[in-house]
Amino acid sequence: MDEPILTIDERSAINAGRWFSTLSPSLKHDILRCAYVKRYKDGDLIAARGEPPEEWIACAKGAVRVSSTSISGKQITLTYVEPGIWFGDVAIFDGDRRTHDAYAHGDSTVLCVAKADFKKILATHVELYEAMLRLHARRIRQLYGLVEDLNTLPLRARLAKQLLHLVRSYGIPSLSNGNEVRIGLQLAQEELAQLLGASRQRVNQELKAMEREETIRIEPGGLVIRDRAALMRVIESEN
């Protein structure tokens, strides 16, 4: 059964979200007042492609894997929604059906606002229209940036950028070495390769090279970033 309220850590993640934190106190209050909590186990379906949009959703804990299915039936991961990020509003605005599947990646918590309540909040808070425009503009910038990277940067630089992004979103500082950061999001190499638009074999080769250079360490539980400055140098060398 769903827990009725967010935990302290989950609420902190929502309130600290880059976009949500810019809203006025009254708007944030009205959003949270009508929101409800859902908890999922790893791999559970949160929203399905082709469904009518019934909820506006934010990740509060864990991650939401947004995926598509190829013509051959292979599932392809497009992105991971991290705690503090809201999604699912595009289909509510344009009235069309959802375009992608969303699954829990690890034990995850989401905060939901029903479509009818979302529209009521829009009618009450004109501020939300401008805030949503800012949110969509940021997404467009990110999308263009991804397309540009895919067409201009070699795989090594794209991998370095992705690892730094994962450190910012899911980094866990090492207690034994202040320079090291573990990536808390568990990703198989195939999943990482999908994010980069590359094959698993090529990504594995680049990871092994970075490990030999002592930039990262590959462990059974995931990746440890040993030298963030080295990752930055890889990116800057291509700019």
Side-chain angles (χ1 to χ4, degrees):
M1 180 178 294
D2 295 336
E3 294 291 337
I5 59 174
L6 295 171
T7 66
I8 293 175
D9 288 343
E10 291 166 350
R11 182 175 285 270
S12 295
I14 293 293
N15 285 326
R18 180 181 173 188
W19 175 79
F20 190 78
S21 63
T22 65
L23 306 181
S24 68
S26 61
L27 176 52
K28 287 189 285 189
H29 174 269
D30 282 357
I31 291 172
L32 295 175
R33 180 174 54 83
C34 64
Y36 48 95
V37 176
K38 290 185 176 181
R39 302 188 190 280
Y40 295 93
K41 297 296 184 182
D42 181 42
D44 286 351
L45 180 66
I46 296 173
R49 179 176 184 170
E51 286 183 342
E54 299 297 338
E55 297 171 323
W56 183 37
I57 308 171
C59 180
K61 173 189 173 184
V64 177
R65 177 169 58 84
V66 178
S67 65
S68 182
T69 304
S70 68
I71 296 176
S72 64
K74 181 182 179 181
Q75 196 171 79
I76 301 171
T77 299
L78 302 175
T79 190
Y80 290 87
V81 179
E82 64 199 62
I85 301 297
W86 291 79
F87 65 99
D89 43 86
V90 172
I92 293 178
F93 274 117
D94 68 13
D96 209 340
R97 295 179 181 272
R98 296 204 185 278
T99 55
H100 300 92
D101 298 315
Y103 294 89
H105 188 80
D107 291 343
S108 302
T109 302
V110 299
L111 190 65
C112 304
V113 175
K115 177 180 178 181
D117 288 328
F118 177 70
K119 291 191 171 183
K120 287 179 183 177
I121 296 171
L122 277 173
T124 304
H125 295 271
V126 177
E127 169 198 350
L128 185 55
Y129 279 103
E130 183 177 346
M132 296 305 299
L133 284 173
R134 291 198 306 271
L135 180 61
H136 291 171
R138 183 178 301 159
R139 289 173 181 163
I140 292 171
R141 285 179 181 272
Q142 291 171 342
L143 179 60
Y144 281 145
L146 288 172
V147 173
E148 181 180 3
D149 288 350
L150 189 60
N151 285 279
T152 61
L153 294 181
L155 176 58
R156 188 176 180 84
R158 301 203 310 274
L159 175 58
K161 290 186 78 168
Q162 184 64 57
L163 292 177
L164 286 174
H165 171 73
L166 291 171
V167 165
R168 288 191 294 270
S169 303
Y170 293 97
I172 303 173
S174 171
L175 297 178
S176 58
N177 187 332
N179 294 323
E180 294 186 352
V181 182
R182 177 181 299 278
I183 295 175
L185 184 69
Q186 301 296 311
L187 290 180
Q189 287 191 10
E190 177 64 30
E191 293 169 327
L192 184 57
Q194 289 175 12
L195 290 176
L196 297 167
S199 68
R200 184 192 62 79
Q201 291 80 5
R202 289 191 62 207
V203 170
N204 178 264
Q205 290 171 0
E206 293 294 350
L207 289 173
K208 290 293 187 183
M210 288 181 175
E211 186 172 42
R212 289 193 297 271
E213 296 161 3
E214 300 185 346
T215 301
I216 68 171
R217 186 168 64 252
I218 303 172
E219 296 184 350
L223 294 174
V224 175
I225 306 304
R226 303 181 64 187
D227 190 344
R228 279 172 283 183
L231 291 177
M232 283 299 305
R233 287 194 293 272
V234 169
I235 299 168
E236 291 168 353
S237 67
E238 299 297 333
N239 292 330

